[in-house]
Amino acid sequence: RDVLAGVASQRWYWRQTLGQTGFEPAVAITAHWCEHARWLPAAVTQLGLDDTLAAVSRLNQRQAGAVVQALHEAWTLPDDALSLVAAAAQPSVDPPRQASHLSSAGMPSAVDDVEPPWDALVARSSARRLAGLAPQQQYLAGLAWTLARRPDYARSRAFAAATARWLHRSAAEPASRDEQETSSLRQTEAPAERSWQETQRSALSSFNDVAERPAYQGTATEPVAARSERVDQSRHPGVTPTDAEAPASPVAERGEAGSVPVPEADGATEASADGVRTEVAGVLFLVNLLRWLDLPDSWPDDPWMSGWSLLETLGRGLLDVAHEAHAVDGLWPLLRRLDGRQIDEPPGAGLAVPATFTLPASWLRLIDGRAAESVDQANLWSDEATLPEHVESALSPAAAWWLRGTLPFVRTLLSSLPGLAAADGLPETLLLRSGQVRATRTHLDLYLPLDAASLPVRQSGLDLDPGWVPALGRVVQFHFV
């Protein structure tokens, strides 16, 4: 729908998905449907037949044929079905025989009036629109719709034979419907093409504006967070304060006493009224992981590390070798201050190292629901991870012990999530992101550029707003602006 409406270039997820293909409707639809032909019938069910026909009508005969072939291969239709259909789609070369089947009006006679095999599955209102398409387009839409509603019938030889008879009748018509469709398509696409080009230029202008914003290079420039506030105020025109009344920050707007101060002892920390700049902003996405694992409450040893200490420990561990380049990032001292620790106090300081390590049984359900039924399954993750020296040196002995035992399970869990399963590497995909973090007595806000949004991370659910997190005592929110 976004491609047909000409707004796909304005959506960050479509820019990532269709960036190399382009946003021209026929090209984008053909490439996307061929690549994901396995899921096209399910998508057609969600899209609805009328919108599907609007998309199919943009494809020429070659493009529709490419999608048809991809459907045949993805759904393992009978081997000879595609060749049978292709042969039937060719115009008849026997003029006398062709003429003998035509009425005086030039239309197929009642004897030759063969209905398409998907006719019974299509509503009468949609059937008229479907019949107005070229035969190859009709077959594509009819095949996808039948695969969605009656996959057993669509994969049968009876369906292929009925389609061949219908296509043979359609190809025998004297008027070249494909040429008419192509001519009509050129006339209807011209205004849409101009509209799409204007939309793309506007979107690219906005995209470049976001990419060139120096929000992370100095305090003299308007910060990302301030722009977010201004946008929020614009959504409520009746609450637009004057310059004298405008709050200086979300802290003043929320009526809070002030931001959590950032320690000045760490030279790498770049503190300002706009928050702390960080290159590992994705570590805060792990707040959702803490919620899924119910940490720290699910850990059997009591007392144990706080939520802030666990967040820092997991973040450093998952960075792995990339941690060395970000060992003194501005995020770490902020997490320590929020945890009430001194600037040189590592996570888990003062805790004793337990004698045994066993994962909580409730964690195993996140990977295999049956695993939690057996106590012995908890020992399957007994292999310890090897920590780089620069990671271990940043942690207390208790935190390093916990991380070595937990990291194999956490990596497996994250790698099993949609989107991250096919990721090249967790640090690059999830953690290494530039952003600004602002903390107050009630909120922790992470601000990222809109184009820093990642489709794999969005699919995993890790960049969704956690909201109120009891283990951290804060409302945690992620802002893409």
Side-chain angles (χ1 to χ4, degrees):
R1 289 193 184 102
D2 286 345
V3 168
L4 291 175
V7 298
S9 60
Q10 301 175 24
R11 309 287 191 257
W12 65 267
Y13 39 86
W14 285 127
R15 287 202 294 270
Q16 292 188 19
T17 305
L18 301 175
Q20 296 182 350
T21 304
F23 303 102
E24 197 280 320
V27 175
I29 291 170
T30 302
H32 207 56
W33 284 8
C34 286
E35 182 181 359
H36 302 287
R38 176 71 176 173
W39 314 114
L40 180 55
V44 163
T45 301
Q46 297 295 321
L47 191 61
L49 184 56
D50 287 344
D51 284 340
T52 299
L53 296 181
V56 171
S57 67
R58 307 301 291 269
L59 310 184
N60 58 32
Q61 181 173 342
R62 178 184 58 79
Q63 293 166 331
V67 180
V68 165
Q69 183 170 356
L71 275 173
H72 274 255
E73 294 174 354
W75 284 82
T76 59
L77 301 183
D79 293 337
D80 58 345
L82 187 60
S83 58
L84 189 65
V85 169
Q90 300 300 318
S92 173
V93 294
D94 187 358
R97 181 183 177 187
Q98 179 179 342
S100 65
H101 286 80
L102 298 178
S103 66
S104 58
M107 297 298 292
S109 65
V111 177
D112 196 34
D113 191 11
V114 181
E115 297 296 336
W118 49 81
D119 190 63
L121 303 176
V122 178
R124 189 176 301 275
S125 58
S126 298
R128 289 193 292 268
R129 292 189 60 191
L130 182 59
L133 300 178
Q136 189 79 326
Q137 295 171 328
Q138 290 188 57
Y139 177 55
L140 168 56
L143 176 61
W145 190 250
T146 308
L147 282 169
R149 305 296 295 273
R150 286 283 309 280
D152 55 334
Y153 178 48
R155 302 173 74 173
S156 68
R157 294 185 181 276
F159 179 85
T163 301
R165 289 194 298 271
W166 170 77
L167 279 174
H168 182 78
R169 187 267 298 173
S170 299
E173 295 181 6
S176 175
R177 297 177 62 182
D178 188 60
E179 292 179 3
Q180 292 177 357
E181 181 67 24
T182 301
S183 175
S184 175
L185 186 61
R186 287 172 181 168
Q187 295 176 5
T188 57
E189 277 192 348
E193 181 70 17
R194 290 194 297 271
S195 175
W196 171 81
Q197 289 174 345
E198 294 173 358
T199 302
Q200 187 183 44
R201 283 195 294 269
S202 175
L204 289 176
S205 176
S206 300
F207 176 84
N208 293 334
D209 179 61
V210 171
E212 295 172 1
R213 288 174 181 169
Y216 306 114
Q217 299 176 5
T219 57
T221 307
E222 182 185 18
V224 174
R227 283 196 298 273
S228 176
E229 294 166 23
R230 189 182 66 224
V231 171
D232 289 341
Q233 291 170 1
S234 67
R235 295 173 182 169
H236 308 281
V239 194
T240 305
T242 63
D243 293 340
E245 298 170 340
S249 69
V251 176
E253 188 176 357
R254 294 172 181 151
E256 298 155 9
S259 301
V260 174
V262 179
E264 301 293 340
D266 192 335
T269 301
E270 299 181 45
S272 70
D274 305 319
V276 174
R277 286 184 287 276
T278 176
E279 299 300 320
V280 291
V283 168
L284 294 181
F285 293 157
L286 300 177
V287 171
N288 279 311
L289 179 63
L290 294 184
R291 296 173 64 244
W292 298 344
L293 298 178
D294 192 25
L295 283 171
D297 292 342
S298 63
W299 197 252
D301 296 304
D302 189 21
W304 197 237
M305 290 188 289
S306 68
W308 297 112
S309 291
L310 291 168
L311 186 62
E312 179 181 348
T313 301
L314 282 172
R316 290 184 184 272
L318 288 171
L319 280 169
D320 199 38
V321 295
H323 173 269
E324 186 172 14
H326 303 282
V328 291
D329 187 87
L331 180 65
W332 311 124
L334 175 61
L335 296 180
R336 294 186 182 189
R337 179 56 63 92
L338 289 167
D339 198 20
R341 290 181 275 137
Q342 298 298 321
I343 190 63
D344 57 349
E345 184 179 353
L351 291 176
V353 177
T356 59
F357 182 94
T358 303
L359 289 178
S362 61
W363 289 17
L364 304 179
R365 293 191 184 95
L366 297 174
I367 293 181
D368 186 354
R370 297 170 299 174
E373 299 174 3
S374 172
V375 178
D376 294 337
Q377 294 291 330
N379 297 321
L380 290 177
W381 303 91
S382 57
D383 293 339
E384 291 188 350
T386 301
L387 303 180
E389 183 178 353
H390 48 83
V391 172
E392 192 152 1
S393 63
L395 307 174
S396 68
W401 167 86
W402 181 84
L403 183 61
R404 283 194 296 269
T406 305
L407 207 50
F409 172 84
V410 169
R411 284 173 174 159
T412 301
L413 175 62
L414 292 177
S415 298
S416 69
L417 297 175
L420 297 184
D424 295 333
L426 282 175
E428 295 78 8
T429 304
L430 180 62
L431 305 177
L432 298 178
R433 300 183 178 280
S434 299
Q436 288 188 209
V437 187
R438 290 204 294 182
T440 69
R441 291 180 178 178
T442 60
H443 285 68
L444 183 73
D445 296 283
L446 170 62
Y447 294 90
L448 295 160
L450 178 60
D451 289 292
S454 164
L455 194 57
V457 177
R458 178 58 49 87
Q459 290 174 323
S460 73
L462 285 166
D463 68 349
L464 299 177
D465 279 340
W468 169 249
V469 184
L472 304 180
R474 295 290 193 286
V475 174
V476 181
Q477 295 178 315
F478 304 138
H479 309 271
F480 292 91
V481 294

